[in-house]
Amino acid sequence: MNSSESPLAIVVIGASGDLAQRKIMPALFSLFARDLLPSEFAVYGFARSAMDDDTFRESLAGSLACRYTPASDCESRKRKFLEHCRYTQGQYDEAADYLELYRALRRMFPGEHPNILYYLAIPPSVFLQCARALGDSGMTQCGDSPFWMRAVIEKPFGHDRRSSDRLVSELATVFRETDTYRIDHYLGKEIVQNLLVLRFANSVFEPLWNRDTIERIDIDWRETYGVKNRASYFDRYGIIRDVVQNHLLQIVALIGMEQPAGRTPDRIRDAKVSLLRAVNPATPDSVRLGQYTAGEQAGLPRRGYRDEDGVPAGSTTPTYARVALTLNHPRWHGVPFVINAGKAMDADRTEIRIVFREPATPWCDREGSCGPANCLIIRVQPNEAIRLRVVTKEPGMTQRTVPTDLQLVYGEAFPQTIPEAYERLLLDVIHGDKSLFIRKDELAAAWDVFTPLLDHLKKHNPEPEPYPFGSDGPR
Ligand code: NDP
Ligand code: BG6
């Protein structure tokens, strides 16, 4: 029997939280709706909040969306999914509470022992207590049994290289590295998955993908909202740890890496690690930091970061960072990878721009206009698209040149619904495919890029540059 067809229990620890309710449970529902979960499965929510099965189901119902189910079947499909969902109230550091959950789970699957997927959707402050208690309960050891137990660990994985190493080694006493899935949900985004295909399956790009033809690479990430209800987490981490060191550095790795020696998860991750090790550590003079102040968005007044609930007075935590990374790598010598990331900005957008050099002998029109340099724009979200900006002769009785786009717009080219990142990644965990998860040496290499800078910022605590909510960052 294929392991993905064996009975499956999914234990979502922190099931009352934002991530569980907004992303994990809807993704599980989508997998169910597409018949991608085993026929025998159950989802166990675990958290401290007082709920029974019914109130847990009610709390989930509103966030499930029928992305793959016709509207006429939607409600009955949701009901069927919710019948598989159960809830156990408990303390994260109490082995006995996990044992109670385990007993319930065994009652549910009296025959074949199910595979168990643990999803740790809890704040980093309770991570280790939870893992230790799970370990003490004996629920993470399956030895040579035919079933598996896998753990999905959410970022942040520590707050610098040292704490990350500690976390990795402490968690390793509970979950084996082979069973540990460190999730970075940007790796599950459709366009991010396409980066290696675009580069290595198309012979037009690879010969150009180097310092001779590429001048710079911009990775632009912006959100229109501030820290919402996550201020206490965000204030301790800041934008560099929140998205730059992980999501955006992963994009750098996929854009910059050499072709892997094979398609296996380890060969792909070997290639990423070797690129990450070639990134020079970010330095204080390569970074600009900002923090949003009061502003306006869609005609509504918005509070500044320091006035958000849960942000300590006078906090200097950056909500914006612009970091220019350089690589000690023959392919990329002298080519900056510029990451621009900000909350409370003017748009919701993640975009990669590969800016090519201008022709050695420019081809200008009779009016002296030479057109902009070529640029490959990869729009990760929203509205996934790939555009190549080229200079074209304007049609008609003219020799004027104009910039135009050759473009692939996903919404037009592909009729199918594009899966959410968490759908794809959860399915990969069930299938035991780790290609899109972060290996521990990869994590260490990613922290090495930012730890010296983060140490410097901690010591000197510079005042970030202000920018108004809804703007495009510091002037
Ligand atoms: P929440 O703050 O919503 O916490 C999840 C649950 O943990 C809460 O419902 C609460 O449940 C319990 N909890 C909260 N604070 C504490 C505390 N101080 N001590 C003990 N228990 C607590 O977190 P999220 O769902 O936002 O995030 C979960 C994990 O996922 C975190 O590691 C986060 O960094 C990561 N993540 C989150 C993302 C998001 O968009 N939310 C995105 C990417 C990663 P109860 O009180 O019922 O026990
Ligand atoms: C999370 C960050 O990892 O990613 C959040 O903690 C951020 O601050 C989120 O908003 C962005 O994810 P997405 O998928 O909405 O772009």
Side-chain angles (χ1 to χ4, degrees):
M1 184 189 281
N2 180 325
S3 79
S4 64
E5 288 163 7
S6 303
L8 173 66
I10 301 163
V11 178
V12 180
I13 302 178
S16 56
D18 177 70
L19 185 75
Q21 301 254 334
R22 221 166 34 81
K23 297 285 186 185
I24 303 169
M25 299 303 295
L28 290 173
F29 172 59
S30 291
L31 294 180
F32 170 76
R34 299 180 69 189
D35 293 327
L36 292 172
L37 292 180
S39 48
E40 265 192 89
F41 83 95
V43 181
Y44 288 86
F46 180 95
R48 299 171 309 175
S49 298
M51 282 192 271
D52 58 18
D53 290 348
D54 285 337
T55 39
F56 179 54
R57 289 170 183 151
E58 277 160 30
S59 77
L60 302 178
S63 59
L64 307 182
C66 288
R67 303 176 66 242
Y68 303 95
T69 312
S72 52
D73 293 343
C74 182
E75 286 313 309
S76 76
R77 205 78 177 134
K78 280 187 190 174
R79 260 197 313 279
K80 283 199 186 103
F81 173 75
L82 290 171
E83 283 165 17
H84 291 262
C85 298
R86 290 176 167 62
Y87 183 80
T88 300
Q89 183 187 2
Q91 299 297 321
Y92 299 115
D93 56 357
E94 270 299 333
D97 293 348
Y98 294 115
L99 269 176
E100 188 173 320
L101 186 152
Y102 183 69
R103 281 188 209 107
L105 186 154
R106 289 301 284 141
R107 282 195 296 277
M108 181 77 195
F109 297 99
E112 187 184 353
H113 194 294
N115 294 321
I116 305 184
L117 187 165
Y118 296 105
Y119 201 123
L120 272 60
I122 38 175
S125 54
V126 280
F127 232 77
L128 277 177
Q129 306 160 27
C130 163
R132 284 187 199 121
L134 264 176
D136 291 346
S137 73
M139 284 172 66
T140 56
Q141 305 301 329
C142 53
D144 293 329
S145 323
F147 58 90
W148 51 253
M149 290 182 177
R150 296 180 183 144
V152 181
I153 314 288
E154 266 292 349
K155 62 166 266 281
F157 314 114
H159 51 90
D160 56 14
R161 170 70 198 266
R162 296 170 292 276
S163 55
S164 164
D165 284 355
R166 261 198 315 275
L167 186 62
V168 167
S169 67
E170 294 221 24
L171 283 175
T173 62
V174 181
F175 297 107
R176 297 178 302 192
E177 177 67 13
T178 44
D179 300 328
T180 302
Y181 288 70
R182 294 180 197 89
I183 197 166
D184 180 318
H185 75 282
Y186 268 55
L187 293 179
K189 292 193 186 266
E190 189 60 43
I191 280 255
V192 176
Q193 289 181 58
N194 189 33
L195 288 174
L196 297 189
V197 180
L198 183 75
R199 286 190 55 196
F200 301 125
N202 295 291
S203 58
V204 290
F205 292 119
E206 198 47 21
L208 306 179
W209 214 260
N210 57 58
R211 63 189 301 269
D212 297 332
T213 31
I214 294 179
E215 185 167 292
R216 56 185 281 144
I217 292 173
D218 289 336
I219 297 166
D220 186 51
W221 181 93
R222 49 188 73 206
E223 280 181 349
T224 50
Y225 43 89
V227 289
K228 291 190 180 159
N229 54 354
R230 297 178 73 211
S232 67
Y233 149 78
F234 191 88
D235 198 67
R236 269 177 283 131
Y237 285 83
I239 195 78
I240 294 179
R241 293 184 179 95
D242 189 43
V243 296
V244 177
Q245 179 271 349
N246 33 71
H247 305 330
L248 305 182
L249 192 58
Q250 283 295 319
I251 292 180
V252 170
L254 293 167
I255 293 285
M257 70 192 236
E258 297 301 309
Q259 180 155 1
R263 298 279 301 281
T264 62
D266 270 331
R267 292 294 81 79
I268 292 172
R269 293 184 299 172
D270 288 346
K272 275 163 73 191
V273 172
S274 103
L275 188 282
L276 287 170
R277 287 187 179 144
V279 180
N280 295 313
T283 57
D285 52 359
S286 66
V287 67
R288 263 184 92 181
L289 301 173
Q291 188 186 72
Y292 64 86
T293 53
E296 202 176 85
Q297 201 167 56
L300 296 172
R302 298 288 185 186
R303 279 190 286 188
Y305 179 71
R306 288 179 186 173
D307 294 323
E308 300 274 22
D309 297 334
V311 172
S315 165
T316 53
T317 299
T319 58
Y320 167 93
R322 180 185 168 84
V323 190
L325 295 173
T326 57
L327 274 65
N328 182 11
H329 191 292
R331 186 194 279 262
W332 297 116
H333 183 77
V335 179
F337 283 63
V338 182
I339 298 177
N340 196 54
K343 286 195 173 267
M345 301 265 285
D346 53 351
D348 287 303
R349 186 171 69 222
T350 306
E351 202 164 83
I352 306 161
R353 290 189 289 271
I354 319 280
V355 184
F356 291 88
R357 293 189 190 283
E358 292 186 356
T361 49
W363 184 273
C364 305
D365 64 20
R366 288 185 187 142
E367 289 162 20
S369 168
C370 313
N374 297 129
C375 183
L376 181 67
I377 301 164
I378 303 172
R379 168 67 72 94
V380 177
Q381 60 185 21
N383 306 326
E384 296 87 344
I386 301 174
R387 297 193 164 83
L388 179 62
R389 187 148 302 159
V390 295
V391 179
T392 310
K393 176 192 163 304
E394 191 178 75
M397 307 299 187
T398 168
Q399 290 302 322
R400 260 201 306 270
T401 58
V402 284
T404 31
D405 285 352
L406 307 177
Q407 57 181 1
L408 166 66
V409 178
Y410 273 48
E412 292 164 8
F414 304 111
Q416 61 269 47
T417 305
I418 294 181
E420 286 281 328
Y422 281 92
E423 293 169 25
R424 166 65 198 246
L425 295 173
L426 277 161
L427 191 62
D428 282 359
V429 181
I430 294 169
H431 290 159
D433 184 336
K434 299 187 89 177
S435 316
L436 301 178
F437 293 82
I438 311 293
R439 208 169 60 186
K440 66 179 177 186
D441 52 348
E442 191 177 353
L443 178 62
W447 276 119
D448 283 344
V449 175
F450 288 102
T451 297
L453 172 68
L454 292 165
D455 286 347
H456 174 92
L457 297 176
K458 186 170 172 202
K459 185 163 170 207
H460 297 279
N461 196 23
E463 183 69 22
E465 296 174 57
Y467 62 96
F469 200 118
S471 66
D472 73 347
R475 279 183 201 288

